[in-house]
Amino acid sequence: IDPSTGRMSAGRSNQHWYQLGLKHMLRLGDTYGKTWSIHPDAPTKKIEGRTLTEIRPVCALCTSAHAKLLPDVPLVGWDVALTREKGAVLLELNISCNLFLGQYNRKQYSDFMWKYMVALE
């Protein structure tokens, strides 16, 4: 999801990452690299091209929670649900969030982490 517009790109899965056992250790699985323009569990739900109109309150909620709860942690993944009753609601945070399939400015992230690590020294 583009955080400035709310526009969704094709969906991806990291299901291959969470396989248990030695037989799965070197196997990427059948979802690796695959994208979905329609939700795989709900064939009438289009993903790609939709716009999440609630993107601003979602980003504001995550930014506020991060500032209040984990101000010294440089990167946190926030899982958010949109509800009819309460709007955007935090479900959980992921301190070791998975960036393998993330869409982000890698140069900006690398520069940020470099400065952060230098400051820790």
Side-chain angles (χ1 to χ4, degrees), residues 11 13 34 36-43 45 47:
S13 172
K34 186 173 181 179
W36 289 270
S37 59
I38 297 171
H39 196 287
D41 296 329
K45 301 284 185 181
I47 299 169

Side-chain angles (χ1 to χ4, degrees), residues 85-105:
E85 299 81 17
K86 305 256 184 198
V89 178
L90 291 177
L91 296 177
E92 68 175 356
L93 62 95
N94 299 285
I95 293 178
S96 62
C97 53
N98 172 339
L99 295 175
F100 301 114
L101 299 176
Q103 297 172 342
Y104 58 97
N105 182 320

Side-chain angles (χ1 to χ4, degrees), residues 5-49:
T5 65
R7 186 170 170 80
M8 297 182 197
S9 57
R12 298 184 70 177
S13 172
N14 61 356
Q15 182 181 9
H16 62 279
W17 188 252
Y18 300 100
Q19 300 293 317
L20 298 176
L22 291 175
K23 68 181 181 176
H24 297 290
M25 194 165 101
L26 299 174
R27 201 172 147 252
L28 291 175
D30 58 359
T31 62
Y32 181 77
K34 186 173 181 179
T35 61
W36 289 270
S37 59
I38 297 171
H39 196 287
D41 296 329
T44 61
K45 301 284 185 181
K46 185 177 178 186
I47 299 169
E48 190 171 18

